[in-house]
Amino acid sequence: MMKAAVVRDFSTGPHYEGNFLAPIPEASMTKIEVTASALSNVARSVASGQHYSVQHTSLPVVPGIDDAATIATNLASVGENVDMVLDYLWGDVTASALTAIIPARADANQLLTWVNIGSVVGPTTALPAASLRAVNLRLVGSGFGPVKMAQLLSSLQGIADAEVAQPFVFEIRREALTDIAQVWTEKTSERIVFVL
């Protein structure tokens, strides 16, 4: 059983359920424990039944997609022979994942490429120094590498001009998952993150 925001009717949005039946992972999957999830536009689209991923899905459905997770103990065995990790989370999750995966590598010489794509959990991570010495680890970022400098500078100037004209404000608000039904329909410019 698990705690979840559950949609049982696309017209009413999600409601908190403390004893929702947890999915059983297939052999190729890794079980994780979710500790937080952002209220994104995709999650809203899923919860309303408008997202393509639920067009042919029967209810109930759990709408979250960008969760912060505590890596389960079987991550080490899954990471034993993996070549690449696409990391949308970063933060403490990355440090925990590396700590679990690195000692379990079947071949320390096999390249493990860790690609940072996002930072849903946090903008920084504390990388264990031993991880950098223990295996063939390459950290890379998915970003503007192939973009020509002139294009990049032009885009950056446009962003800077827009920020000067109207400063960007990013507000994040934490809410308990148990309050999802009350918070779900609020109109706000804040980024809402539901936590357990």
Side-chain angles (χ1 to χ4, degrees), residues 121-173:
V121 173
T124 61
T125 191
L127 288 176
S131 299
L132 301 173
R133 298 187 304 265
V135 297
N136 187 3
L137 175 65
R138 183 174 67 159
L139 299 172
V140 297
S142 176
F144 298 108
V147 178
K148 291 187 169 112
M149 187 55 70
Q151 292 172 309
L152 180 59
L153 291 175
S154 176
S155 295
L156 290 175
Q157 185 61 54
I159 292 169
D161 292 345
E163 207 286 329
V164 168
Q166 183 174 352
F168 304 146
V169 177
F170 302 98
E171 299 174 26
I172 298 174
R173 187 173 102 207

Side-chain angles (χ1 to χ4, degrees), residues 35-85:
T35 56
S37 184
L39 175 52
S40 65
N41 288 334
V42 174
R44 287 184 186 274
S45 180
V46 168
S48 68
Q50 301 301 311
H51 195 265
Y52 70 88
S53 67
V54 293
Q55 294 291 315
H56 303 288
T57 301
S58 59
L59 293 172
V61 66
V62 177
I65 62 157
D66 52 358
D67 306 325
T70 302
I71 307 301
T73 55
N74 62 342
L75 182 59
S77 63
V78 173
E80 184 178 325
N81 291 305
V82 72
D83 294 319
M84 182 178 291
V85 173

